C-alpha cells in the first residue's frame, strides 16, 4: 500500500493506515506500506511530528492501493501541481483516501460523479465541514455520511479514526473479509469496526 503524505497531514492518518498495515504483517507477512511524498525525506506533519517519506513521486513504487491521507495541509495540496499530476497518473481503481484526503482526490478529478465520504464535521476555525465542501471539488459527486464508501473501485474513508476502518476495508478487498476481521481483532478494533459500520454504514456502489 502506498500512503501519500504531504506537509500538514494529521498523525492519526499515518497510524490509521501505515500503523494498521504494520500490525497486519503479523498475519500477512507479505503486506507492506510505503510512504510517498513529493520528495523522499522529511515531511512535517500537523502538531509538530516529522516523518521520513520513503519515496518521492518520481520514484514511487507500483502499489496495489494508493491512500491519500488527510489533515489541514489539504488546503495547499488541492492546488499543488505535482500532487495533482501524480494522482492523475495513477490507475483510479487503485486509489483511496482517508479523511480530508478525499478533497485532494476530488481536486484531481478522480471523484467526479462518484459517491464519496470524508470528515463530517467542521473543527476549530473551519466554517464548513469537509463533507459539505467536497462538492465544489468533485463535479456531480454525491457526498455520503458513512464510515467507508467504495464507488466503482475508489475507496473513501470518513474522518479521523475512520482511517482505520477504510484501511481494514482495503485489506478485506485484497485478502478477503475473514482476513480483514482477523486483522481487526488483532488490533483490538473488531468491536469498533462493527459499531462504526452499524452506525454510519459502508456504502458499496
Amino acid at each position: 500500500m502506498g500512503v501519500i503524505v504531504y506537509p500538514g497531514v494529521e498523525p492519526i492518518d499515518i497510524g490509521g493506515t501505515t500503523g494498521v498495515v504494520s500490525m497486519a504483517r503479523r498475519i500477512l507477512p507479505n503486506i507492506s506500506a510505503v510512504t510517498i511524498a513529493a520528495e523522499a525525506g522529511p515531511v512535517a506533519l500537523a502538531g509538530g511530528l516529522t516523518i521520513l517519506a520513503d519515496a518521492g513521486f518520481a520514484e514511487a513504487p507500483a502499489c496495489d492501493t494508493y491512500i491519500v491521507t488527510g489533515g489541514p495541509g489539504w488546503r495547499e495540496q488541492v492546488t499543488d501541481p505535482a500532487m495533482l499530476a501524480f494522482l492523475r497518473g495513477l490507475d483510479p481503481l487503485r486509489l483511496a483516501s482517508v479523511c480530508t484526503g478525499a478533497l485532494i482526490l476530488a481536486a484531481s478529478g478522480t471523484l467526479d460523479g462518484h459517491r464519496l465520504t470524508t470528515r463530517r464535521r467542521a473543527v476549530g476555525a473551519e466554517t464548513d465541514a469537509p463533507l459539505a465542501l467536497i462538492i465544489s471539488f468533485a463535479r456531480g459527486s454525491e457526498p455520503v455520511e458513512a464510515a467507508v464508501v467504495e464507488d466503482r473501485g475508489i475507496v473513501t474513508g470518513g474522518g479521523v479514526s475512520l482511517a482505520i476502518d477504510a484501511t481494514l476495508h482495503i485489506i478485506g478487498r485484497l485478502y478477503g473479509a475473514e482476513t480483514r476481521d482477523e486483522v481487526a481483532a488483532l488490533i483490538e478494533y473488531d468491536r469498533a469496526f462493527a459499531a462504526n459500520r452499524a452506525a454510519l454504514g459502508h456504502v458499496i456502489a
Side-chain angles (χ1 to χ4, degrees):
M1 292 190 189
V3 178
I4 300 172
V5 300
Y6 49 86
V9 165
E10 280 293 349
I12 197 168
D13 282 12
I14 304 298
T17 52
T18 61
V20 171
V21 173
S22 176
M23 289 296 293
R25 287 178 63 87
R26 272 68 167 182
I27 56 176
L28 295 169
N30 291 325
I31 197 172
S32 63
V34 57
T35 49
I36 303 169
E39 296 182 358
V43 178
L45 307 184
L49 180 67
T50 296
I51 64 168
L52 296 177
D54 299 308
F57 292 157
E59 67 273 9
C63 299
D64 295 292
T65 302
Y66 298 85
I67 306 173
V68 184
T69 52
W74 73 262
R75 292 173 180 82
E76 288 72 41
Q77 298 304 309
V78 295
T79 57
D80 184 87
M83 172 65 80
L84 299 182
F86 178 69
L87 294 176
R88 289 168 182 151
L90 299 174
D91 180 355
L93 296 179
R94 296 178 183 268
L95 287 174
S97 67
V98 294
C99 198
T100 50
L103 289 113
I104 305 171
L105 265 190
S108 75
T110 302
L111 295 176
D112 287 356
H114 280 64
R115 301 183 84 182
L116 51 84
T117 195
T118 183
R119 179 159 49 81
R120 295 171 290 129
R121 296 184 178 89
V123 298
E126 292 177 341
T127 56
D128 297 291
L131 193 65
L133 286 174
I134 201 164
I135 57 173
S136 64
F137 293 98
R139 294 175 297 176
S141 63
E142 182 183 345
V144 180
E145 290 193 2
V148 178
V149 173
E150 180 177 336
D151 186 356
R152 286 163 282 172
I154 301 176
V155 175
T156 52
V160 196
S161 64
L162 293 172
I164 301 172
D165 300 63
T167 304
L168 287 170
H169 176 81
I170 293 166
I171 288 173
R173 195 168 74 165
L174 294 171
Y175 293 96
E178 184 176 340
T179 301
R180 175 204 65 203
D181 292 344
E182 189 177 355
V183 173
L186 173 69
I187 64 174
E188 299 190 37
Y189 199 76
D190 46 332
R191 293 171 300 279
F193 187 71
N196 288 339
R197 182 166 50 185
L200 292 170
H202 286 191
V203 177
I204 313 298

